[in-house]
Amino acid sequence: MTSSRRFGRRDSETSLAILDATERVMRAEGYGAVTSRRVAEEAGIRQGLVYYYYETMDEVLLACFQRRSAQALARYESEVRSERPVHAIWDDLTNTIDARLVFEFVALANHHEGIREEVNRFLVKTRRLEAETIRKEAEARGVDLAPATPAAIAFLMYAATLVLASESSTGVTEGHDDVRALFDWMLKRFE
Amino acid sequence: MTSSRRFGRRDSETSLAILDATERVMRAEGYGAVTSRRVAEEAGIRQGLVYYYYETMDEVLLACFQRRSAQALARYESEVRSERPVHAIWDDLTNTIDARLVFEFVALANHHEGIREEVNRFLVKTRRLEAETIRKEAEARGVDLAPATPAAIAFLMYAATLVLASESSTGVTEGHDDVRALFDWMLKRFE
DNA sequence: GTCTATACACCGATAGAC
DNA sequence: GTCTATCGGTGTATAGAC
C-alpha cells in the first residue's frame, strides 16, 4: 500500500533548509516541537512542502541525525590522522559536539527504532575508532595507561564532554574545572 | 487571571497513581508521550481527572521529578552515613537511578524552565554532597587521589553511570566493562 | 472525587491547482 | 517545485452532571 506521492531530492536547497530548521527547533524547543508546521515556519516555506521532500516527520528527524553523524564521523577520521589525534578528538568533543542536540537524539532513540539504530551504529563506530587511536598513540609514545584502558578512556571522554556541555548550557558547573584539569593531565601524557 | 478550578490533594492515591503512570509512559515512550490522555489511560482513570489534581501537564512533569529527586536525595543522605559511603553512592547510581528517566528529564530541562531549575538544584546539591563524602573518606583512609579530586570523581561517577545505563538500555556496551573495571579499581582504594 | 461532554488549537498527511 | 485547501485525529483545558 505504497503512496503515489513523489519526492524531491535530498540534496536540494529546500531540503537542506528543512534540516537546518529542524536542528534549530530541536535545540531551542526539543524534539516535541519538531512538527511540520513549526519546521516549515522556521525554514520560511509552507507546511505542505515538507512532505514533498520527506515522507513523514520521522524521516525528517532521521535525515537530520544522519547528516550530523556523517559530518562528525568525517571530522573524526580526519582527526585521528592528525599529529596529536587524542588532543584533536578531545577538542572536537569539547567544542564541536552540540550536547543539547545529542541529548534530544538519545532521548528520541529510547522510543524510536530508526533513530536508535543510527545512534547505536554511530556510537559503536566512533568509540572503536577513538579507542584504537588511543591504543596506538599510547603504544607509540610508551604511555602506560593502567589501570585505565583505551576503551575506558574513549568512553569517559565522550561521557564527560557530553555532561560537561549539557550542564554548562543550563548553568551547572559544579566540579567542571576539576574534571577538565584531570583530562588535561591525561592529555599531557600523550605529548 | 487565575482559574476558578479546585484541585485535589497531591498525596492522594489517585494523584500518586498519576505520577506512577507518568513515569511508566516516560520510560517507555519518552516525554513527548506524556499527554493527559495517555497518562490517564495508563493510570486507569479518565482524561479529565488529571486536571482535577494538576493544573497543567507541565505541573505533572514537575511533580514527577520532584518526587523522584526527593527520594534520591533521602537515599544519598542515608548512604553517606553508611560504613562504605563511596561504594554505597556508586551502587545507588548504578542500580537505583533510572538513567532513561534522567535522560528524559535533562532533555526536558533544556527547554522547560521549571524542570531546569529543579534539575539544577538537585545536581548541585548531590554533587557537593558526594564530593564532600569522597574528600572525607580519602582523608580518613589516607588515600591520595591525585591527579583527580573529590569533585572530579563525583562528576565522573555521575556522568559514567548515566551514560552506561543509557547505552545499555539501547544495546550499546562498547567499553562498558573497561569503565566498570576502572571504577572498581578506584573503589578498592576506599576499602 | 470521578465522570461525560465539549471548545478550540494543532498536527500529520494527502489532493490538486498553478 | 511550491502553493492552498482539507481530512481525521489528538492535544489541552474547562464546564457541569452525578
Side-chain angles (χ1 to χ4, degrees):
Chain A
M1 213 64 108
T2 43
S3 166
S4 62
R5 275 162 59 209
R6 293 290 179 74
F7 301 99
R9 297 177 56 88
R10 288 288 173 91
D11 57 358
S12 67
E13 202 173 329
T14 305
S15 174
L16 295 175
I18 290 170
L19 298 189
D20 292 340
T22 301
E23 288 192 1
R24 287 198 297 276
V25 172
M26 220 167 155
R27 216 182 334 258
E29 302 163 48
Y31 68 75
V34 177
T35 67
S36 58
R37 286 174 170 80
R38 184 75 191 78
V39 166
E41 182 194 17
E42 187 73 25
I45 58 173
R46 299 291 175 165
Q47 184 253 342
L49 191 51
V50 174
Y51 290 94
Y52 172 71
Y53 289 98
Y54 299 92
E55 195 164 1
T56 63
M57 287 310 292
D58 277 357
E59 283 284 312
V60 175
L61 289 166
L62 194 61
C64 191
F65 180 80
Q66 284 172 334
R67 185 176 66 154
R68 282 194 80 84
S69 62
Q71 288 166 345
L73 199 60
R75 286 201 314 274
Y76 291 156
E77 284 172 348
S78 142
E79 284 155 12
V80 300
R81 286 191 301 268
S82 71
E83 215 167 309
R84 304 198 309 172
V86 187
H87 289 73
I89 290 170
W90 173 261
D91 289 344
D92 190 295
L93 285 166
T94 300
N95 302 317
T96 314
I97 293 291
D98 190 323
R100 214 129 153 173
L101 278 184
V102 173
F103 261 85
E104 290 294 328
F105 277 118
V106 171
L108 255 176
N110 283 334
H111 44 90
H112 182 306
E113 182 158 351
I115 299 278
R116 177 166 57 244
E117 283 169 8
E118 284 295 315
V119 170
N120 286 3
R121 209 192 322 275
F122 176 74
L123 281 177
V124 171
K125 201 182 292 185
T126 55
R127 190 155 305 153
R128 283 187 186 155
L129 182 66
E130 289 166 18
E132 181 58 15
T133 302
I134 293 167
R135 192 195 63 72
K136 273 190 202 153
E137 281 293 302
E139 195 184 316
R141 295 166 194 270
V143 180
D144 179 19
L145 299 173
T149 65
I153 293 172
F155 177 97
L156 287 176
M157 286 189 1
Y158 166 72
T161 52
L162 182 62
V163 177
L164 280 171
S166 161
E167 291 186 351
S168 296
S169 88
T170 61
V172 174
T173 59
E174 198 74 21
H176 286 205
D177 287 344
D178 290 24
V179 172
R180 276 189 286 264
L182 179 57
F183 278 98
D184 282 346
W185 168 86
M186 191 274 290
L187 288 171
K188 271 233 171 62
R189 307 187 63 200
F190 285 92
E191 281 172 4
Chain B
M1 212 64 107
T2 43
S3 164
S4 62
R5 274 162 59 210
R6 294 289 179 74
F7 300 99
R9 299 176 56 87
R10 288 290 174 88
D11 57 359
S12 66
E13 202 173 330
T14 304
S15 174
L16 295 175
I18 289 170
L19 298 188
D20 292 340
T22 300
E23 288 192 2
R24 286 198 299 274
V25 171
M26 221 169 157
R27 217 185 332 259
E29 301 162 49
Y31 70 75
V34 177
T35 65
S36 56
R37 289 182 209 274
R38 185 73 191 80
V39 166
E41 183 194 16
E42 186 72 24
I45 57 173
R46 299 293 175 165
Q47 183 256 341
L49 191 52
V50 174
Y51 291 94
Y52 171 72
Y53 288 98
Y54 300 92
E55 195 164 1
T56 64
M57 286 310 291
D58 278 357
E59 283 284 312
V60 175
L61 289 167
L62 194 61
C64 192
F65 180 79
Q66 285 172 332
R67 186 177 65 155
R68 282 194 81 83
S69 62
Q71 289 166 346
L73 200 60
R75 285 200 314 275
Y76 290 157
E77 286 174 345
S78 139
E79 284 156 11
V80 300
R81 286 192 301 267
S82 71
E83 215 168 308
R84 305 197 310 173
V86 187
H87 288 73
I89 290 169
W90 174 259
D91 288 344
D92 190 294
L93 285 166
T94 301
N95 302 316
T96 314
I97 293 291
D98 190 322
R100 207 129 159 176
L101 278 184
V102 174
F103 248 86
E104 292 292 330
F105 277 117
V106 171
L108 256 176
N110 283 334
H111 44 90
H112 183 305
E113 182 158 350
I115 299 278
R116 177 166 58 244
E117 284 170 7
E118 284 293 317
V119 170
N120 286 4
R121 209 191 321 274
F122 176 74
L123 281 176
V124 172
K125 200 181 292 183
T126 54
R127 190 156 306 153
R128 284 186 185 154
L129 182 66
E130 289 165 18
E132 181 58 15
T133 302
I134 293 167
R135 192 195 64 72
K136 274 191 203 154
E137 281 293 301
E139 195 184 313
R141 294 165 194 273
V143 180
D144 179 19
L145 298 173
T149 65
I153 292 173
F155 177 97
L156 287 176
M157 286 191 1
Y158 165 72
T161 51
L162 181 62
V163 177
L164 279 171
S166 162
E167 290 186 352
S168 297
S169 87
T170 61
V172 174
T173 59
E174 200 73 21
H176 286 204
D177 288 344
D178 290 25
V179 172
R180 276 189 286 262
L182 179 57
F183 278 99
D184 282 345
W185 168 85
M186 191 273 290
L187 289 171
K188 273 233 170 61
R189 306 186 64 201
F190 285 92
E191 281 170 4

